[in-house]
Amino acid sequence: MSGQSSPGTARALPKACIIGAGCSGFSTGKALQDRGIPFDIFEMSDTIGGNWAYKNKNGMSACYESLHIDTSKYRMQFEDFPIPDDFPDFPHHSQVLQYFNDYVDHFGLREKIEFNTAVTHCELMPDGLWRVTIDRSGAGGPSSETRIYDALFVCNGHHWSPRWPTPAFPGEFDGVQMHAHSYLTPFEPVEMRGKNIVVVGMGNSAMDIASELSQRPIAKNLWVSARRGVYIFPKYIGGKVADKASAPHWMPLRLQRWLAAKALKRAVGNMEDYGLPKPDHKPLEAHPSVSGEFLTRVGCGDIKMKPNIERFEGGKVRFTDGSVEDVDVVIYATGYNVEFPFLDKSVVEVKDNHIPLFKRVMRPGIPNLFFMALAQPLPTLTNFAEQQARWLAAYLAGDYALPSKEEMERIIVEDEKRFIGHFYDSPRHKMQVDFNIYCHDLKKEWRKGEKRARASGNPLPVPPRAASALGRAAE
């Protein structure tokens, strides 16, 4: 696999639109830039970083003030831009954003980003081009402007549209209900000191928020309510970062799960030994929750466990075990919906957070639409699009050719069975992949596609027509 080819070819290349300047958006731009593929990046905020920009003015960041990334710096760094040595093993969100900004400036990407510019609609025209409508009023420009592109990269993230319990819990609640997406500090947007608090869910955000609020100077009482038990993985095992050494791609997932169960047992023991509900699945049959503090808080009595909420009764909450507690605040750490408000349902329709995509990127039959980092990879998401974008840049440059539509559909079914077949049914598991295995499989497919492309003379799968189409429209 060539990885990167010289952009010195004489032929024109298709122009791409990239929606969003989070880590998937700017790393996609970097890969296209390496191939000499022209592109524009539209960012509705005034900063890069997306979810990692605390108090991002676009309102889509789920970042809270105390947030540290749960993936170690060794696994989240970009391949061609090492993370600073002096960063801690698990950087604070401000350091992650600093690293992202340094990346963007190092590779000269900032001038390619149009800030304060929202993409409001993307229309796939009958001729296969994309008509992209943008709102530049935030940048002092027109409220509506249209541009034409050959290819569309969707990099709008999937941690910005809060998912609430469905159906909602019955009854009326007199206190505050909020989603973890809105949580900033123990004092903002809600004063939490001296309050009785219920955190619903046991994912990573629930672990962090519950651990922070349960400290004695803050919450009066804090309960975590969960429908089922989970396995909580430590950040360190034997004094070493737990995710630094990962299983090789050739190791069967079943063996990986068995080894993970053994390591977890040695490191932290049984979840029920801490007073947590016993999980109804095996380790790595659910997206793992990672915390270095939660189990200690439970052991200290600062966090108390409850089963699922049954109903609200004014200022009280009744749980499914029959217990009733006085509660002031309920925080739902219940995940996110996958949404693309700028795309028509005829182009993509999301069902319970599931979209069948070839290599988690492409819909068979639409050769110029790419969903970047639309996955839940273990252990990291921050540099996931970097892997995908290099492959797609080779594709747009004519150095990779797709398999047939039928073969793409067969591979989608095969991949989903491999990556999510062993997970219990939940919206959070519809996009699960193993990072190492995914990248290995992607490189194998890339090599196959290189041979297909050479055999057909390396034609461009997406011809560069946007400039001429825009010129005709202006006449």
Side-chain angles (χ1 to χ4, degrees):
M1 186 183 63
S2 59
Q4 294 181 5
S5 66
S6 170
T9 57
R11 61 178 175 176
L13 295 173
K15 185 169 185 178
C17 168
I18 300 174
I19 303 175
C23 54
S24 60
F26 63 69
S27 59
T28 294
K30 162 65 166 56
L32 298 184
Q33 180 173 269
D34 288 345
R35 290 272 184 169
I37 298 170
F39 62 91
D40 294 328
I41 302 179
F42 297 117
E43 170 53 54
M44 65 187 305
S45 185
D46 59 355
T47 183
I48 67 153
N51 207 37
W52 288 96
Y54 180 58
K55 292 188 176 181
N56 195 326
K57 81 168 197 175
N58 63 18
M60 292 185 174
S61 172
C63 192
Y64 35 94
E65 189 174 41
S66 61
L67 177 66
H68 288 75
I69 193 166
D70 290 320
T71 304
S72 73
K73 68 177 182 180
Y74 310 101
R75 298 309 305 270
M76 65 160 282
Q77 65 184 343
F78 298 106
E79 289 185 2
D80 51 6
F81 193 73
I83 204 162
D85 291 335
D86 60 353
F87 272 30
D89 291 337
F90 297 93
H92 184 253
H93 66 74
S94 60
Q95 294 172 304
V96 174
L97 187 61
Q98 175 192 330
Y99 175 60
F100 288 170
N101 273 289
D102 290 345
Y103 179 100
V104 166
D105 291 333
H106 178 78
F107 293 112
L109 296 168
R110 195 173 299 275
E111 56 266 30
K112 306 282 185 70
I113 303 171
E114 296 191 34
F115 290 101
N116 299 299
T117 302
V119 173
T120 57
H121 191 241
C122 300
E123 178 189 357
L124 182 58
M125 298 188 292
D127 61 1
L129 292 170
W130 287 98
R131 178 186 286 122
V132 177
T133 303
I134 58 176
D135 181 350
R136 301 193 68 246
S137 57
S143 59
S144 183
E145 180 181 330
T146 299
R147 300 190 191 178
I148 305 297
Y149 292 94
D150 298 299
L152 184 68
F153 287 83
V154 178
C155 306
N156 70 321
H158 56 274
H159 291 117
W160 57 269
S161 176
R163 174 180 282 266
W164 299 78
T166 305
F169 297 122
E172 297 293 330
F173 182 56
D174 295 340
V176 174
Q177 297 185 70
M178 60 181 285
H179 196 275
H181 184 266
S182 301
Y183 179 78
L184 297 173
T185 75
F187 326 109
E188 187 182 2
V190 176
E191 171 62 70
M192 303 283 188
R193 284 175 294 192
K195 301 294 177 62
N196 291 324
I197 303 167
V198 173
V199 176
V200 180
M202 289 190 72
N204 289 335
S205 295
M207 301 277 129
D208 285 354
I209 293 171
S211 296
E212 179 167 76
L213 294 180
S214 67
Q215 298 176 73
R216 290 298 184 180
I218 304 175
K220 181 178 180 181
N221 290 288
L222 188 137
W223 300 275
V224 169
S225 169
R227 291 179 297 173
R228 55 164 47 93
V230 302
Y231 292 96
I232 301 171
F233 287 75
K235 291 186 174 182
Y236 292 89
I237 295 179
K240 298 181 180 179
V241 173
D243 69 6
K244 188 174 182 179
S246 58
H249 66 82
W250 47 262
M251 182 178 290
L253 285 172
R254 182 174 297 180
L255 178 57
Q256 290 189 32
R257 295 195 295 272
W258 182 82
L259 291 173
K262 299 287 284 186
L264 185 65
K265 179 83 170 180
R266 288 194 303 269
V268 298
N270 298 315
M271 296 297 101
E272 52 269 33
D273 293 341
Y274 297 84
L276 300 177
K278 183 178 181 179
D280 59 4
H281 56 279
K282 297 178 181 178
L284 298 188
E285 289 185 353
H287 190 81
S289 297
V290 179
S291 177
E293 187 177 2
F294 185 84
L295 293 177
T296 299
R297 291 287 171 194
V298 173
C300 293
D302 293 342
I303 294 174
K304 296 173 279 290
M305 294 302 303
K306 288 287 186 180
N308 202 24
I309 293 174
E310 181 176 301
R311 63 179 296 108
F312 294 123
E313 299 175 352
K316 300 179 182 295
V317 175
R318 181 178 296 275
F319 299 90
T320 55
D321 63 355
S323 62
V324 179
E325 303 289 352
D326 293 324
V327 175
D328 301 299
V329 182
V330 176
I331 303 174
Y332 295 98
T334 45
Y336 293 86
N337 297 309
V338 174
E339 294 183 5
F340 310 103
F342 43 79
L343 287 174
D344 295 332
K345 287 186 177 180
S346 59
V347 174
V348 61
E349 186 170 5
V350 183
K351 294 183 179 179
D352 207 20
N353 279 6
H354 179 242
I355 310 173
L357 298 171
F358 176 65
K359 295 304 173 189
R360 295 297 322 144
V361 173
M362 297 181 67
R363 276 197 61 197
I366 306 181
N368 59 348
L369 172 62
F370 315 105
F371 295 92
M372 306 302 293
L374 188 59
Q376 283 286 94
L378 293 174
T380 179
L381 179 62
T382 52
N383 56 6
F384 191 65
E386 176 188 36
Q387 312 299 319
Q388 298 172 322
R390 291 171 175 170
W391 164 58
L392 294 172
Y395 166 70
L396 290 178
D399 293 332
Y400 166 88
L402 290 167
S404 67
K405 184 173 182 288
E406 293 73 23
E407 178 68 3
M408 292 171 72
E409 291 171 343
R410 184 193 67 79
I411 291 173
I412 290 172
V413 173
E414 184 179 277
D415 283 352
E416 289 194 349
K417 181 179 179 181
R418 182 183 193 186
F419 287 123
I420 68 176
H422 58 285
F423 286 93
Y424 68 76
D425 188 30
S426 170
R428 73 189 300 225
H429 295 146
K430 301 300 185 183
M431 304 182 296
Q432 202 76 30
V433 297
D434 179 279
F435 187 93
N436 290 344
I437 294 176
Y438 174 90
C439 292
H440 177 261
D441 289 351
L442 188 64
K443 290 175 181 177
K444 284 176 59 179
E445 170 55 36
W446 190 345
R447 288 192 291 268
K448 292 178 182 178
E450 284 183 329
K451 293 179 181 178
R452 291 190 294 264
R454 285 196 299 267
S456 59
N458 294 96
L460 291 180
V462 179
R465 299 175 295 150
S468 59
L470 191 60
R472 291 195 302 270
E475 292 177 355

